[in-house]
Amino acid sequence: MPANDLALLEQAAHEAGEIALRYWRNDPQSWEKDAGAGPVSEADLAVNAHLEQLLRTARPHYGWLSEESADDASRLDAEHCFIIDPIDGTRAFLAGQEGFSHSLAIATGDRVTAAVVHLPARDMTYSAHVHGPGLLNGQPMTPRDHDIEGATVLASKPSLDPVFWQGRVPPIRREFRPSLAWRLCLVAEGQFNATLSTRAAWEWDIAAGSLIAERAGCIATEISGREMRFNTARALSDGLLIAPPRLHGQLIAALGDAPGARART
């Protein structure tokens, strides 16, 4: 049941937060991953180990996909699969900033059915299951729809390269937050109007936030407008666009089939 799965994820996310805060601002050991994949710390690994033990003991028949675990192709045959980012925003975590999160999701087939994004340093927990609303600390959220002109959009600078847009970059106001999972939730909460990325996104970064945003009233798609699918062999989404319905449609139209858009597919 999605509601029972959600309760399990909420418990796990709060336990993850307790572990992470023991390392936060305490100079944890860290190093760079291979192939420019970014930093990882002893805190990431400690959180991952705890989550895997807790969640897989509770749901032994579920598959497992985590940023900090070796991929096991058997997950592709599982009816349900955990999709986990132990610490999303590791650079922010290592810098002592508050904007890191734990992103926990369960996919049933290729759809996310339960999700939690927890920011322990801010005492904020976003959550949703497939039959309920998107919640922040137990209270329903409402996104803020907006016309494209003047919309506040969470995105990295490369996403506003004109190559990705039809003719010109629309008159949007760009902002940024370090945790991708949190960006999706901030749109669900109505703090920003949209978030987008023209780069491929790992499933563990976006699985939880995409369901939370959808259940709050947003549309969550790949940058092309295609529906997102999860627990795939690649574990990658071709970019992302999260926004309330009117703005989502306007952004899709502005992106269109620009050369950068064609290069993505």
Side-chain angles (χ1 to χ4, degrees):
M1 294 289 291
N4 293 336
D5 279 347
L6 181 59
L8 174 63
L9 293 184
E10 288 173 334
Q11 173 195 345
H14 282 88
E15 292 184 13
E18 293 172 2
I19 295 170
L21 290 177
R22 293 201 290 267
Y23 291 91
W24 184 57
R25 296 180 175 173
N26 199 27
D27 196 25
Q29 294 183 9
S30 65
W31 54 95
E32 290 293 319
K33 297 180 183 179
D34 294 337
V40 64
S41 75
E42 58 181 326
D44 295 81
L45 301 185
V47 169
N48 188 65
H50 180 77
L51 289 176
E52 185 166 11
Q53 193 279 329
L54 172 65
L55 295 173
R56 302 196 80 177
T57 297
R59 303 286 192 272
H61 301 299
Y62 284 24
W64 182 260
L65 173 64
S66 169
E67 180 175 11
E68 307 305 344
S69 299
D71 195 7
D72 181 352
S74 67
R75 65 178 172 82
L76 300 173
D77 298 321
E79 181 180 1
H80 308 282
C81 184
F82 291 108
I83 304 177
I84 305 294
D85 193 342
I87 297 180
D88 186 43
T90 297
R91 286 189 176 88
F93 176 84
L94 292 172
Q97 299 171 10
E98 296 181 346
F100 66 92
S101 71
H102 309 292
S103 178
L104 289 69
I106 292 173
T108 301
D110 59 9
R111 299 289 188 169
V112 178
T113 50
V116 172
V117 174
H118 178 53
L119 282 77
R122 289 176 168 256
D123 194 25
M124 299 170 68
T125 304
Y126 300 88
S127 62
H129 65 76
V130 71
H131 301 305
L135 303 174
L136 170 56
N137 291 345
Q139 298 300 311
M141 297 182 292
T142 303
R144 288 188 299 122
D145 213 341
H146 199 286
D147 286 321
I148 195 169
E149 184 170 354
T152 57
V153 178
L154 290 163
S156 62
K157 287 182 180 179
S159 293
L160 298 190
D161 187 320
V163 72
F164 295 113
W165 301 86
Q166 289 273 34
R168 68 184 183 98
V169 179
I172 59 180
R173 292 186 292 146
R174 187 190 74 85
E175 298 212 28
F176 187 76
R177 293 296 183 273
S179 162
L180 181 51
W182 186 28
R183 286 179 236 164
L184 276 63
C185 295
L186 285 166
V187 176
E189 187 185 354
Q191 294 295 319
F192 299 89
N193 301 125
T195 186
L196 68 87
S197 175
T198 55
R199 297 179 58 188
W202 291 106
E203 290 185 14
W204 46 73
D205 289 325
I206 62 173
S210 66
L211 179 67
I212 292 165
E214 285 182 339
R215 298 309 302 169
C218 294
I219 297 176
T221 67
E222 295 186 347
I223 199 69
S224 64
R226 290 190 295 265
E227 292 185 4
M228 292 180 173
R229 295 284 189 266
F230 294 95
N231 194 26
T232 64
R234 293 173 63 230
L236 281 169
S237 173
D238 289 329
L240 64 95
L241 175 57
I242 313 294
R246 182 171 81 247
L247 180 56
H248 187 279
Q250 292 178 9
L251 286 166
I252 286 291
L255 288 157
D257 58 355
R262 290 195 295 271
R264 289 190 301 269
T265 60

